[in-house]
Amino acid sequence: MHSSAGRWFSPLNLAAYITWLAVLLQLLTSLPSPLAGRPLLGLLALGSMVVLFTLVSATEAEWLTQARRRALVVTQAGLVLLAIWATGRGNAAILLIIVAAQAMALWPWRSALMLMLLANLGLFALWQPLIGTSRTLLELLPVAGFQAFAALMSHFAATAEAAKADLELRNGELEATRQLLADSTRAEERLRLSRELHDVAGHKLTALKLNLRLLERDAGASESLQTCQQLADELLGDIRQVVSALRRHDGIDLAAALRLLVEVIPGVQWQLELQPELRVDRVSVAEVLLRGAQEAITNALRHGQARAIQLRLWQARGAVQLSVAHGGAVVPVLHEGNGLTGMRERVQAIGGALELERPASGGLTVRLSVPVDAPTGGMA
């Protein structure tokens, strides 16, 4: 969830770069003797090291999908074995530690373990003819131990990062909910004040104007009565303007709650298209839309590995429309989990509809449509 620069220069990546540089320097110092008369193998080894470093750095690119990152890691394992074969030395085996760390971050632990088992079998096949079976097994033990250590460190780092991202997301949800509740309270207070001004003050001022007219007719016109009549007219007009202004801000500002929801989530390029002055009359409707946005964003971050998300809110055809879209890998089959099922049930309970669209380019678009006059109640 951090920026590319932050991931490229994270402590684990810096350790990987230093390890790669140390192996490269060892390779360069060994070129004149072990590889003398074998220039092509020397160039192949150097080329493998350069490409390996490029792939290690490339896995941090934001535009890469999970599948492509995994492919790069598998390629890295192959390049390490190629460098070992080309040099006939085992120095490059330490680079499998970098592969192990990345594999644990990208795969479930069983799949990562299988990849490293295959890589170490390849390493065994390269070393065994050179130093024998017993010596190979002894040399492999510390290498495998360091791989396990790096994999566990990577796993704990990824777990901590996921927990931090989840905490930030939950904090955003709490802030958005707080904003929704506060706006609902303010809306109710504005409605109460506008009704009080219109029903009480407006009624009494109208009665005052009628009494002033009767007094003016019975006692005759006077400057004082005309002044009172004018002040009553102006005051009644001012009250009507205040009531109209309060009425214009009736309802809940859902856009403000959505902005609070996304602004605390780092590492995502947001595209917000929120219709200005849009107000939702009922708290139940606003809550359904907010919860729908939360669930769609959570799915985009956790399952879609989204780096860019488009969030739209507008009113059209007598309904409030909400859309959350992100790019990513093509989803051949979409399985609705508890989150999407619960979202669909909440939307349908107030007469709305939920649509899921899988663009051919990849990713997922979630659209919610709730009627402006949606009934209250029925929320989970």
Side-chain angles (χ1 to χ4, degrees), residues 55 74 144 164 224 230 252 279 300 324 376:
L55 295 185
V74 173
K164 179 183 177 183
S224 298
Q230 181 181 355
I252 299 169
R279 293 292 187 273
V324 180
T376 58

Side-chain angles (χ1 to χ4, degrees), residues 267-283:
V268 178
Q269 182 181 353
W270 294 100
Q271 182 182 351
L272 302 181
E273 298 180 15
L274 309 177
Q275 182 177 326
E277 303 299 329
L278 188 148
R279 293 292 187 273
V280 179
D281 293 334
R282 294 181 175 87
V283 178

